[in-house]
Amino acid sequence: MTPDTPDAITRLYRACEPNEALAADDPRFVILDDVRGETPSRQYERSLRLSDSTRPEVKVFAGHIGVGKSSELRRLQHRLENPETGRPYKVILAETGKALDLNDLDFPDLLVFLAAEVQRNLQALKIPGFTGTTEYLYRVWDEVKAALQSNVSFSEVEIDVPFGSLTAELRNRPSSRALLRAEIEKQSTSLQNAVNDLLELARVKLWEAGWEGLVLIVDDLEKMPDRSLDSGVTTHERLFIHRSEQLANLNAHVIYSVPITLIYSPQFAGVEQAFGGRPIPVPMIRLRGDHRSPVTPNTAGMKKMREIIDKRCQFAKVDFAEVFDSAETCHLLCEMTGGHPRHLMMFLRSALTRVEGLPITRAAADGAIREAANSLVRQIDQDEWPRLRSFLEPSGEIRHDPEHLQMLRLLHVFEYMNGEPWYEVNPVVRTLPRLYAAD
């Protein structure tokens, strides 16, 4: 091994990056359909293929943060673009987190961003007879640019991709964001109509060139924090509830990732009506039975957790048999994740920092779990402990009040699916003595 060649422990650590969304053809990707209980990506693919491309469908994709939504969306993209039979779809994956400020996001930001992404992607495709823009869109761009001229200095780049630099302005100038939004809002109806004009032209040209149609996947929106605003609504309500009709009014199939707490909101019924369908959340990997048989282990789920590790080992060119000091240590780390894939990566990396070389010892695994427990105990306030105790045994129900939904969002309680949902406390929370103390 040369000085520049990473050793086994370094290779494995790097292969376990927890925040990396995997493409369907990534050698580390593991199909988890059989141990989740529901598979939104497969159902959505079938739904889109059965639908009429001239009558777009709008769907939402929800689930716990880190459960693998982005990887599943990339899997859906791959299957739509590479069908076993029939025409492929052109899929535009719009990663909002890379272009917009998710801490302060509103509909005008998203509309401008999607206008730029649609243009950029369709221009790059070089569809015969299609330029990636329309006179209508240019006209609206001239009107928006004229309204903003005194507040934004535009470069020549907008000649080819109007709205591209405006997206950057909305991200990088928080002090001027309200003013920019107000001006965009005045043109929002015209802008959405112009984008739809572009999408309709693209649909026709895509069909002529051999595609089935166009699908927009709008990812990362589930990472938006839910903050209360001066208007009396939250950031989630402002975008997803109050703007649901506009979100549903794009002239292409669209899939939005959304926060898991949103689908429990009483107001979400209005979103379902606007979108014309019910969401299927991405649940955790089942490691044991449901609320009716809570102690029954799910051996298939545990095998999948080990497969996830094994795929990372193969990618890192490390022998799985050399990674742990015993099968019990591997089992412990998998079990303490509660079936949460990102937590498995985080536990592995934390444990790897506690040893000088492979294997990962039981002491290193215990240290990784203790680190996670210490982080959780700092997050849980006094009033939450009694609520957490109600999920020591799996429950088929959870209250839909803000306090219980916050426990879902913060991953203090996990959601599983086995024909119907059930909920139980994060296994790491079980290691905290405070959970068992009298109030």
Side-chain angles (χ1 to χ4, degrees), residues 161-220:
V161 183
F163 304 103
S165 288
L166 185 50
T167 299
E169 290 290 327
L170 284 162
R171 178 186 177 95
N172 300 327
R173 294 179 57 180
S175 60
S176 304
R177 195 172 290 154
L179 178 62
L180 297 177
R181 282 177 180 159
E183 293 297 338
I184 296 166
E185 191 72 67
K186 295 175 184 177
Q187 306 289 336
S188 62
T189 300
S190 295
L191 176 55
Q192 186 151 13
N193 289 339
V195 171
N196 280 334
D197 186 52
L198 175 67
L199 290 171
E200 174 59 21
L201 178 60
R203 184 190 67 78
V204 172
K205 293 300 181 183
L206 283 167
W207 178 265
E208 292 174 354
W211 277 276
E212 179 67 27
L214 181 65
V215 178
L216 303 181
I217 296 179
V218 187
D219 198 10
D220 295 335

Side-chain angles (χ1 to χ4, degrees), residues 20 51 66 103 106 147 155 163 168 185 194 199-200 203 211 217 274 289 310 326 343 351 375 380-381 386 421 424:
E20 182 181 4
S51 67
N103 293 305
D106 200 358
S155 65
F163 304 103
E185 191 72 67
L199 290 171
E200 174 59 21
R203 184 190 67 78
W211 277 276
I217 296 179
D310 190 32
S326 68
H343 285 185
S375 176
I380 301 171
D381 62 35
E424 58 181 296

Side-chain angles (χ1 to χ4, degrees), residues 9-11 30 49 58 66 84 137 144 177 192 195 220 237 250 267 272 274-275 291 295 302 359 376 427 432:
I9 196 170
T10 302
R11 297 197 305 274
V30 176
R49 292 207 175 279
V58 184
E84 294 180 1
L137 192 63
V144 171
R177 195 172 290 154
Q192 186 151 13
V195 171
D220 295 335
E237 291 170 343
L250 287 174
Q267 300 181 69
E272 290 181 342
F275 288 5
H291 60 283
V295 298
M302 191 60 72
L376 281 172
L432 300 174

Side-chain angles (χ1 to χ4, degrees), residues 27-194:
R28 293 167 293 175
F29 187 86
V30 176
I31 296 175
L32 301 171
D33 298 348
D34 295 339
V35 291
R36 286 204 192 272
E38 297 283 353
T39 309
S41 59
R42 292 181 65 185
Q43 292 198 29
Y44 285 179
E45 180 199 3
R46 289 194 289 268
S47 175
L48 292 177
R49 292 207 175 279
L50 289 170
S51 67
D52 184 344
S53 61
T54 65
R55 303 184 66 180
E57 291 198 356
V58 184
K59 300 181 181 297
V60 298
F61 212 82
H64 285 290
I65 291 176
V67 78
K69 294 183 299 299
S70 292
S71 292
E72 283 295 322
L73 286 171
R74 282 156 179 76
R75 178 188 176 199
L76 175 58
Q77 176 185 11
H78 180 79
R79 291 176 66 92
L80 288 170
E81 292 182 334
N82 301 275
E84 294 180 1
T85 60
R87 291 175 171 233
Y89 275 95
K90 169 58 185 173
V91 181
I92 296 177
L93 178 62
E95 297 178 271
T96 56
K98 293 182 178 180
L100 297 171
D101 182 359
L102 295 177
N103 293 305
D104 180 24
L105 178 63
D106 200 358
F107 180 72
D109 318 32
L110 187 60
L111 182 57
V112 166
F113 167 64
L114 291 178
E117 285 297 288
V118 167
Q119 279 199 286
R120 186 177 296 112
N121 279 270
L122 292 179
Q123 283 182 352
L125 201 56
K126 300 187 184 304
I127 308 169
F130 180 75
T131 62
T133 192
T134 63
E135 291 184 9
Y136 190 176
L137 192 63
Y138 269 132
R139 186 167 69 248
V140 173
W141 170 242
D142 288 339
E143 293 171 358
V144 171
K145 186 163 63 171
L148 295 173
Q149 198 67 60
S150 60
N151 300 301
V152 181
S153 298
F154 294 104
S155 65
E156 292 302 313
V157 70
E158 292 85 16
I159 294 174
D160 293 325
V161 183
F163 304 103
S165 288
L166 185 50
T167 299
E169 290 290 327
L170 284 162
R171 178 186 177 95
N172 300 327
R173 294 179 57 180
S175 60
S176 304
R177 195 172 290 154
L179 178 62
L180 297 177
R181 282 177 180 159
E183 293 297 338
I184 296 166
E185 191 72 67
K186 295 175 184 177
Q187 306 289 336
S188 62
T189 300
S190 295
L191 176 55
Q192 186 151 13
N193 289 339

Side-chain angles (χ1 to χ4, degrees), residues 275-322:
F275 288 5
R278 293 182 173 86
I280 306 170
V282 181
M284 299 292 182
I285 297 170
R286 302 193 307 272
L287 299 185
R288 59 178 186 163
D290 60 22
H291 60 283
R292 293 161 299 192
S293 56
V295 298
T296 306
N298 188 303
T299 54
M302 191 60 72
K303 284 179 63 176
K304 280 294 182 182
M305 297 297 281
R306 290 195 294 268
E307 183 182 347
I308 291 173
I309 301 173
D310 190 32
K311 290 273 190 177
R312 304 285 171 150
C313 291
Q314 293 177 37
F315 185 81
K317 295 181 171 56
V318 174
D319 187 347
F320 179 88
E322 298 176 359

